[in-house]
Amino acid sequence: MRLSEDIGIDLGTATFLIYSKSRGLVLQEPSVIAMARDSKKVKAVGEEAYRMIGRTPGGIVAVRPIKDGVIADEGLTEKMITMFLQKVQGSAGRLFGFKPQLMVGVPSNVSDVEKRAVLRAALNSNAKRAFLIEEPLAAAIGAGLRIAEPIGSMVVDIGGGSTDVAVISLGGIVVSESMRVAGNEFDESIIRYVRRKHNVLIGERTAEEIKVKVGAAMLLDDAENLTAEVRGRDLVNGLPKTISLDSTDVVEALSEPVTKIVDGVKRVLEITPPELVSDIIDRGIVMTGGGSLLRNFDELLRQTTGIPVAVAENAVEAVAVGTGMALEMIPVLGDSLVSSDNYLRR
């Protein structure tokens, strides 16, 4: 490992990713931290903490310190960033006091308070300097789009806590919209649907498994209708119960959040300059983020907008890869970035 290497971070609501320009993607773990309820001492972070969700004793709590794509608990987020960086650096980094330069992806249209919270957390986690880049711009870079050219590109980045829709040209975002509707809202919609229709309570991990195994934004034919057994607690008698769910059920459960995202894409297209809309029709829409992997979501968006839609090959890692690559493009990106050197002095 080079002690001088710089690091890109996708500070995701669901997943925390770290990208090194020299080593590629070096960490991908759940954005979860487990701590003692009374002493606040950290017990675990990442994958180990995620396995504790819903299974902790009374004295330990597993939480997500990032909500809807922004910091909900600054202290815990700082600890989480620090512990993940220590995993990446190893003993050599800690021994020599390695201070990386960080590029952190944040949702578009975040407030000044939220930007300062992210920058403070990054600097307090032993970084020598921190930059912020809007996630759709980072996703476009990570997906290999030519963002510096005078050509319009459209990105729909569906993460865990937020969805960002943006039109990009000349290294910056021309129009964008950020919605607090994404993968976590998909899971919550499934939980509500199962409770309403079957009177059974399931947890967020079970809902996520349902979404991955049989979920879809739409079904193209009957052969795509898959079935899964789901275990939860019967709300009538309190006993364990197993039910069967198929893809048709999940499409119905997800219709509301999926429709909100589709409507957001249409709103951005409506306010995009005509010249850039022409470019988008030619080049298509690129989807990134874990939520874009929902089956047939790209086809639904294509049918709704009439524009070609493609899911990036590295959809989950695109933002993290883009943040790392952006560190090499600071002169090109210019005002599209926020730097801790001047922003925290305001």
Side-chain angles (χ1 to χ4, degrees), residues 125-165:
S125 64
N126 207 34
K128 64 180 177 182
R129 181 187 299 168
F131 295 91
L132 302 184
I133 182 172
E134 292 181 72
E135 287 176 349
L137 184 56
I141 296 171
L145 299 182
R146 297 173 295 175
I147 59 107
E149 297 181 7
I151 302 173
S153 301
M154 188 171 197
V155 174
V156 180
D157 180 51
I158 309 173
S162 65
T163 293
D164 289 278
V165 183

mmCIF file of all heavy atoms in Angstrom, residues 125-165:
data_model
loop_
_atom_site.group_PDB
_atom_site.id
_atom_site.type_symbol
_atom_site.label_atom_id
_atom_site.label_comp_id
_atom_site.label_asym_id
_atom_site.label_seq_id
_atom_site.Cartn_x
_atom_site.Cartn_y
_atom_site.Cartn_z
ATOM 1 N N SER A 125 -11.810 12.306 10.971
ATOM 2 C CA SER A 125 -11.428 10.901 10.850
ATOM 3 C C SER A 125 -10.003 10.756 10.319
ATOM 4 O O SER A 125 -9.638 9.739 9.754
ATOM 5 C CB SER A 125 -12.397 10.163 9.925
ATOM 6 O OG SER A 125 -12.327 10.681 8.610
ATOM 7 N N ASN A 126 -9.210 11.805 10.490
ATOM 8 C CA ASN A 126 -7.774 11.767 10.186
ATOM 9 C C ASN A 126 -7.447 12.064 8.723
ATOM 10 O O ASN A 126 -6.382 11.682 8.237
ATOM 11 C CB ASN A 126 -7.150 10.420 10.579
ATOM 12 C CG ASN A 126 -5.666 10.552 10.891
ATOM 13 O OD1 ASN A 126 -5.225 11.570 11.408
ATOM 14 N ND2 ASN A 126 -4.895 9.533 10.554
ATOM 15 N N ALA A 127 -8.342 12.745 8.015
ATOM 16 C CA ALA A 127 -8.029 13.146 6.639
ATOM 17 C C ALA A 127 -7.309 14.495 6.660
ATOM 18 O O ALA A 127 -7.583 15.342 7.502
ATOM 19 C CB ALA A 127 -9.311 13.263 5.821
ATOM 20 N N LYS A 128 -6.379 14.681 5.719
ATOM 21 C CA LYS A 128 -5.682 15.966 5.663
ATOM 22 C C LYS A 128 -6.490 17.007 4.913
ATOM 23 O O LYS A 128 -6.357 18.208 5.139
ATOM 24 C CB LYS A 128 -4.307 15.804 5.010
ATOM 25 C CG LYS A 128 -4.327 15.369 3.544
ATOM 26 C CD LYS A 128 -2.911 15.235 3.004
ATOM 27 C CE LYS A 128 -2.929 14.733 1.553
ATOM 28 N NZ LYS A 128 -1.560 14.539 1.028
ATOM 29 N N ARG A 129 -7.350 16.555 3.996
ATOM 30 C CA ARG A 129 -8.215 17.451 3.232
ATOM 31 C C ARG A 129 -9.397 16.641 2.713
ATOM 32 O O ARG A 129 -9.280 15.450 2.471
ATOM 33 C CB ARG A 129 -7.447 18.059 2.062
ATOM 34 C CG ARG A 129 -8.262 19.029 1.214
ATOM 35 C CD ARG A 129 -7.502 19.468 -0.005
ATOM 36 N NE ARG A 129 -6.275 20.167 0.321
ATOM 37 C CZ ARG A 129 -5.323 20.446 -0.561
ATOM 38 N NH1 ARG A 129 -5.438 20.057 -1.804
ATOM 39 N NH2 ARG A 129 -4.238 21.090 -0.193
ATOM 40 N N ALA A 130 -10.544 17.306 2.585
ATOM 41 C CA ALA A 130 -11.738 16.599 2.103
ATOM 42 C C ALA A 130 -12.440 17.428 1.040
ATOM 43 O O ALA A 130 -12.472 18.660 1.110
ATOM 44 C CB ALA A 130 -12.697 16.310 3.261
ATOM 45 N N PHE A 131 -12.992 16.728 0.057
ATOM 46 C CA PHE A 131 -13.802 17.341 -0.990
ATOM 47 C C PHE A 131 -15.156 16.645 -1.025
ATOM 48 O O PHE A 131 -15.264 15.454 -0.706
ATOM 49 C CB PHE A 131 -13.140 17.186 -2.364
ATOM 50 C CG PHE A 131 -11.839 17.904 -2.530
ATOM 51 C CD1 PHE A 131 -10.647 17.258 -2.231
ATOM 52 C CD2 PHE A 131 -11.798 19.206 -2.988
ATOM 53 C CE1 PHE A 131 -9.432 17.911 -2.402
ATOM 54 C CE2 PHE A 131 -10.598 19.866 -3.160
ATOM 55 C CZ PHE A 131 -9.403 19.224 -2.860
ATOM 56 N N LEU A 132 -16.170 17.383 -1.435
ATOM 57 C CA LEU A 132 -17.489 16.801 -1.663
ATOM 58 C C LEU A 132 -17.807 16.864 -3.151
ATOM 59 O O LEU A 132 -17.514 17.858 -3.810
ATOM 60 C CB LEU A 132 -18.575 17.564 -0.884
ATOM 61 C CG LEU A 132 -18.433 17.660 0.632
ATOM 62 C CD1 LEU A 132 -19.650 18.370 1.216
ATOM 63 C CD2 LEU A 132 -18.255 16.302 1.262
ATOM 64 N N ILE A 133 -18.404 15.793 -3.658
ATOM 65 C CA ILE A 133 -18.868 15.758 -5.040
ATOM 66 C C ILE A 133 -20.284 15.200 -5.042
ATOM 67 O O ILE A 133 -20.603 14.278 -4.276
ATOM 68 C CB ILE A 133 -17.940 14.890 -5.926
ATOM 69 C CG1 ILE A 133 -18.414 14.916 -7.388
ATOM 70 C CG2 ILE A 133 -17.843 13.461 -5.405
ATOM 71 C CD1 ILE A 133 -17.451 14.248 -8.352
ATOM 72 N N GLU A 134 -21.152 15.788 -5.841
ATOM 73 C CA GLU A 134 -22.527 15.301 -5.889
ATOM 74 C C GLU A 134 -22.560 13.904 -6.505
ATOM 75 O O GLU A 134 -21.877 13.621 -7.493
ATOM 76 C CB GLU A 134 -23.396 16.271 -6.685
ATOM 77 C CG GLU A 134 -23.573 17.615 -5.980
ATOM 78 C CD GLU A 134 -24.463 18.575 -6.751
ATOM 79 O OE1 GLU A 134 -25.677 18.340 -6.784
ATOM 80 O OE2 GLU A 134 -23.928 19.537 -7.315
ATOM 81 N N GLU A 135 -23.358 13.030 -5.906
ATOM 82 C CA GLU A 135 -23.348 11.617 -6.278
ATOM 83 C C GLU A 135 -23.664 11.345 -7.750
ATOM 84 O O GLU A 135 -23.015 10.481 -8.359
ATOM 85 C CB GLU A 135 -24.294 10.832 -5.366
ATOM 86 C CG GLU A 135 -23.718 10.672 -3.960
ATOM 87 C CD GLU A 135 -24.665 9.981 -3.007
ATOM 88 O OE1 GLU A 135 -25.849 9.796 -3.366
ATOM 89 O OE2 GLU A 135 -24.221 9.630 -1.896
ATOM 90 N N PRO A 136 -24.635 12.031 -8.356
ATOM 91 C CA PRO A 136 -24.873 11.737 -9.774
ATOM 92 C C PRO A 136 -23.681 12.077 -10.661
ATOM 93 O O PRO A 136 -23.423 11.394 -11.656
ATOM 94 C CB PRO A 136 -26.098 12.584 -10.121
ATOM 95 C CG PRO A 136 -26.183 13.623 -9.054
ATOM 96 C CD PRO A 136 -25.614 12.995 -7.832
ATOM 97 N N LEU A 137 -22.925 13.133 -10.311
ATOM 98 C CA LEU A 137 -21.724 13.484 -11.070
ATOM 99 C C LEU A 137 -20.654 12.413 -10.877
ATOM 100 O O LEU A 137 -20.006 11.980 -11.836
ATOM 101 C CB LEU A 137 -21.207 14.857 -10.626
ATOM 102 C CG LEU A 137 -19.995 15.431 -11.377
ATOM 103 C CD1 LEU A 137 -20.276 15.509 -12.875
ATOM 104 C CD2 LEU A 137 -19.633 16.801 -10.825
ATOM 105 N N ALA A 138 -20.481 11.961 -9.625
ATOM 106 C CA ALA A 138 -19.524 10.884 -9.355
ATOM 107 C C ALA A 138 -19.948 9.602 -10.060
ATOM 108 O O ALA A 138 -19.108 8.879 -10.621
ATOM 109 C CB ALA A 138 -19.411 10.646 -7.848
ATOM 110 N N ALA A 139 -21.255 9.311 -10.057
ATOM 111 C CA ALA A 139 -21.761 8.103 -10.715
ATOM 112 C C ALA A 139 -21.481 8.147 -12.216
ATOM 113 O O ALA A 139 -21.110 7.136 -12.820
ATOM 114 C CB ALA A 139 -23.255 7.942 -10.465
ATOM 115 N N ALA A 140 -21.652 9.319 -12.827
ATOM 116 C CA ALA A 140 -21.392 9.467 -14.264
ATOM 117 C C ALA A 140 -19.923 9.219 -14.572
ATOM 118 O O ALA A 140 -19.581 8.541 -15.553
ATOM 119 C CB ALA A 140 -21.811 10.863 -14.726
ATOM 120 N N ILE A 141 -19.044 9.750 -13.731
ATOM 121 C CA ILE A 141 -17.605 9.528 -13.927
ATOM 122 C C ILE A 141 -17.289 8.045 -13.767
ATOM 123 O O ILE A 141 -16.582 7.445 -14.578
ATOM 124 C CB ILE A 141 -16.789 10.370 -12.924
ATOM 125 C CG1 ILE A 141 -17.002 11.868 -13.175
ATOM 126 C CG2 ILE A 141 -15.306 10.023 -13.013
ATOM 127 C CD1 ILE A 141 -16.418 12.760 -12.095
ATOM 128 N N GLY A 142 -17.817 7.439 -12.712
ATOM 129 C CA GLY A 142 -17.552 6.029 -12.441
ATOM 130 C C GLY A 142 -18.114 5.104 -13.501
ATOM 131 O O GLY A 142 -17.572 4.021 -13.742
ATOM 132 N N ALA A 143 -19.204 5.525 -14.146
ATOM 133 C CA ALA A 143 -19.816 4.707 -15.196
ATOM 134 C C ALA A 143 -19.147 4.891 -16.550
ATOM 135 O O ALA A 143 -19.533 4.250 -17.531
ATOM 136 C CB ALA A 143 -21.305 5.032 -15.308
ATOM 137 N N GLY A 144 -18.166 5.801 -16.611
ATOM 138 C CA GLY A 144 -17.406 5.985 -17.847
ATOM 139 C C GLY A 144 -17.981 6.990 -18.819
ATOM 140 O O GLY A 144 -17.577 7.019 -19.991
ATOM 141 N N LEU A 145 -18.913 7.844 -18.366
ATOM 142 C CA LEU A 145 -19.469 8.860 -19.258
ATOM 143 C C LEU A 145 -18.470 9.995 -19.457
ATOM 144 O O LEU A 145 -17.708 10.332 -18.551
ATOM 145 C CB LEU A 145 -20.784 9.411 -18.680
ATOM 146 C CG LEU A 145 -21.912 8.399 -18.484
ATOM 147 C CD1 LEU A 145 -23.161 9.106 -17.966
ATOM 148 C CD2 LEU A 145 -22.222 7.657 -19.768
ATOM 149 N N ARG A 146 -18.522 10.617 -20.630
ATOM 150 C CA ARG A 146 -17.589 11.716 -20.956
ATOM 151 C C ARG A 146 -18.190 13.027 -20.456
ATOM 152 O O ARG A 146 -18.744 13.801 -21.227
ATOM 153 C CB ARG A 146 -17.329 11.742 -22.448
ATOM 154 C CG ARG A 146 -16.632 10.471 -22.976
ATOM 155 C CD ARG A 146 -16.536 10.467 -24.482
ATOM 156 N NE ARG A 146 -17.865 10.405 -25.109
ATOM 157 C CZ ARG A 146 -18.073 10.476 -26.420
ATOM 158 N NH1 ARG A 146 -17.060 10.640 -27.244
ATOM 159 N NH2 ARG A 146 -19.299 10.397 -26.899
ATOM 160 N N ILE A 147 -18.056 13.253 -19.176
ATOM 161 C CA ILE A 147 -18.767 14.375 -18.533
ATOM 162 C C ILE A 147 -18.153 15.732 -18.865
ATOM 163 O O ILE A 147 -18.808 16.765 -18.703
ATOM 164 C CB ILE A 147 -18.846 14.174 -17.007
ATOM 165 C CG1 ILE A 147 -17.431 14.059 -16.395
ATOM 166 C CG2 ILE A 147 -19.656 12.949 -16.672
ATOM 167 C CD1 ILE A 147 -17.012 15.257 -15.638
ATOM 168 N N ALA A 148 -16.900 15.782 -19.319
ATOM 169 C CA ALA A 148 -16.243 17.071 -19.573
ATOM 170 C C ALA A 148 -16.624 17.666 -20.921
ATOM 171 O O ALA A 148 -16.355 18.839 -21.177
ATOM 172 C CB ALA A 148 -14.729 16.914 -19.476
ATOM 173 N N GLU A 149 -17.236 16.897 -21.796
ATOM 174 C CA GLU A 149 -17.557 17.375 -23.136
ATOM 175 C C GLU A 149 -18.872 18.162 -23.148
ATOM 176 O O GLU A 149 -19.711 17.995 -22.259
ATOM 177 C CB GLU A 149 -17.660 16.178 -24.085
ATOM 178 C CG GLU A 149 -16.352 15.409 -24.224
ATOM 179 C CD GLU A 149 -16.483 14.239 -25.181
ATOM 180 O OE1 GLU A 149 -17.542 14.112 -25.822
ATOM 181 O OE2 GLU A 149 -15.528 13.453 -25.283
ATOM 182 N N PRO A 150 -19.070 19.022 -24.166
ATOM 183 C CA PRO A 150 -20.316 19.808 -24.260
ATOM 184 C C PRO A 150 -21.462 18.970 -24.813
ATOM 185 O O PRO A 150 -22.101 19.316 -25.798
ATOM 186 C CB PRO A 150 -19.924 20.953 -25.204
ATOM 187 C CG PRO A 150 -18.886 20.349 -26.084
ATOM 188 C CD PRO A 150 -18.097 19.402 -25.213
ATOM 189 N N ILE A 151 -21.700 17.838 -24.176
ATOM 190 C CA ILE A 151 -22.749 16.897 -24.579
ATOM 191 C C ILE A 151 -23.555 16.536 -23.340
ATOM 192 O O ILE A 151 -22.993 16.302 -22.267
ATOM 193 C CB ILE A 151 -22.144 15.613 -25.198
ATOM 194 C CG1 ILE A 151 -21.278 15.943 -26.411
ATOM 195 C CG2 ILE A 151 -23.239 14.629 -25.578
ATOM 196 C CD1 ILE A 151 -20.519 14.755 -26.959
ATOM 197 N N GLY A 152 -24.876 16.470 -23.465
ATOM 198 C CA GLY A 152 -25.731 16.152 -22.327
ATOM 199 C C GLY A 152 -25.732 14.667 -22.001
ATOM 200 O O GLY A 152 -25.862 13.822 -22.889
ATOM 201 N N SER A 153 -25.586 14.342 -20.734
ATOM 202 C CA SER A 153 -25.692 12.969 -20.229
ATOM 203 C C SER A 153 -26.669 12.972 -19.064
ATOM 204 O O SER A 153 -26.658 13.902 -18.253
ATOM 205 C CB SER A 153 -24.334 12.443 -19.751
ATOM 206 O OG SER A 153 -23.387 12.455 -20.792
ATOM 207 N N MET A 154 -27.508 11.936 -18.969
ATOM 208 C CA MET A 154 -28.472 11.855 -17.878
ATOM 209 C C MET A 154 -28.191 10.623 -17.031
ATOM 210 O O MET A 154 -28.020 9.519 -17.550
ATOM 211 C CB MET A 154 -29.905 11.797 -18.406
ATOM 212 C CG MET A 154 -30.945 11.903 -17.297
ATOM 213 S SD MET A 154 -32.626 12.098 -17.952
ATOM 214 C CE MET A 154 -33.495 12.706 -16.493
ATOM 215 N N VAL A 155 -28.120 10.839 -15.728
ATOM 216 C CA VAL A 155 -27.848 9.762 -14.782
ATOM 217 C C VAL A 155 -28.974 9.684 -13.770
ATOM 218 O O VAL A 155 -29.444 10.709 -13.256
ATOM 219 C CB VAL A 155 -26.506 10.000 -14.044
ATOM 220 C CG1 VAL A 155 -26.293 8.959 -12.958
ATOM 221 C CG2 VAL A 155 -25.349 9.965 -15.018
ATOM 222 N N VAL A 156 -29.424 8.465 -13.495
ATOM 223 C CA VAL A 156 -30.401 8.204 -12.424
ATOM 224 C C VAL A 156 -29.705 7.295 -11.426
ATOM 225 O O VAL A 156 -29.496 6.109 -11.693
ATOM 226 C CB VAL A 156 -31.681 7.534 -12.972
ATOM 227 C CG1 VAL A 156 -32.663 7.275 -11.836
ATOM 228 C CG2 VAL A 156 -32.318 8.397 -14.044
ATOM 229 N N ASP A 157 -29.309 7.857 -10.290
ATOM 230 C CA ASP A 157 -28.571 7.112 -9.270
ATOM 231 C C ASP A 157 -29.509 6.774 -8.111
ATOM 232 O O ASP A 157 -29.916 7.655 -7.359
ATOM 233 C CB ASP A 157 -27.380 7.935 -8.771
ATOM 234 C CG ASP A 157 -26.566 7.207 -7.712
ATOM 235 O OD1 ASP A 157 -26.199 6.045 -7.956
ATOM 236 O OD2 ASP A 157 -26.328 7.787 -6.635
ATOM 237 N N ILE A 158 -29.851 5.478 -7.980
ATOM 238 C CA ILE A 158 -30.788 5.026 -6.945
ATOM 239 C C ILE A 158 -30.001 4.314 -5.862
ATOM 240 O O ILE A 158 -29.573 3.169 -6.030
ATOM 241 C CB ILE A 158 -31.864 4.089 -7.542
ATOM 242 C CG1 ILE A 158 -32.513 4.727 -8.765
ATOM 243 C CG2 ILE A 158 -32.914 3.757 -6.492
ATOM 244 C CD1 ILE A 158 -33.453 3.797 -9.510
ATOM 245 N N GLY A 159 -29.775 4.986 -4.764
ATOM 246 C CA GLY A 159 -29.006 4.410 -3.669
ATOM 247 C C GLY A 159 -29.895 3.746 -2.635
ATOM 248 O O GLY A 159 -30.978 3.248 -2.935
ATOM 249 N N GLY A 160 -29.429 3.770 -1.380
ATOM 250 C CA GLY A 160 -30.221 3.188 -0.303
ATOM 251 C C GLY A 160 -31.194 4.190 0.291
ATOM 252 O O GLY A 160 -32.332 3.847 0.609
ATOM 253 N N GLY A 161 -30.743 5.443 0.440
ATOM 254 C CA GLY A 161 -31.590 6.440 1.093
ATOM 255 C C GLY A 161 -32.086 7.542 0.187
ATOM 256 O O GLY A 161 -33.033 8.244 0.534
ATOM 257 N N SER A 162 -31.450 7.731 -0.966
ATOM 258 C CA SER A 162 -31.872 8.809 -1.853
ATOM 259 C C SER A 162 -31.675 8.422 -3.305
ATOM 260 O O SER A 162 -30.828 7.586 -3.638
ATOM 261 C CB SER A 162 -31.085 10.098 -1.553
ATOM 262 O OG SER A 162 -29.709 9.921 -1.842
ATOM 263 N N THR A 163 -32.475 9.045 -4.165
ATOM 264 C CA THR A 163 -32.340 8.888 -5.612
ATOM 265 C C THR A 163 -32.000 10.246 -6.196
ATOM 266 O O THR A 163 -32.666 11.243 -5.908
ATOM 267 C CB THR A 163 -33.646 8.371 -6.237
ATOM 268 O OG1 THR A 163 -33.885 7.035 -5.794
ATOM 269 C CG2 THR A 163 -33.566 8.372 -7.756
ATOM 270 N N ASP A 164 -30.938 10.287 -6.987
ATOM 271 C CA ASP A 164 -30.516 11.527 -7.623
ATOM 272 C C ASP A 164 -30.658 11.404 -9.128
ATOM 273 O O ASP A 164 -30.149 10.456 -9.729
ATOM 274 C CB ASP A 164 -29.060 11.842 -7.273
ATOM 275 C CG ASP A 164 -28.892 12.255 -5.831
ATOM 276 O OD1 ASP A 164 -29.139 13.439 -5.524
ATOM 277 O OD2 ASP A 164 -28.531 11.406 -4.999
ATOM 278 N N VAL A 165 -31.356 12.366 -9.710
ATOM 279 C CA VAL A 165 -31.532 12.418 -11.159
ATOM 280 C C VAL A 165 -30.841 13.690 -11.639
ATOM 281 O O VAL A 165 -31.125 14.774 -11.119
ATOM 282 C CB VAL A 165 -33.021 12.445 -11.544
ATOM 283 C CG1 VAL A 165 -33.181 12.420 -13.058
ATOM 284 C CG2 VAL A 165 -33.766 11.286 -10.901
#
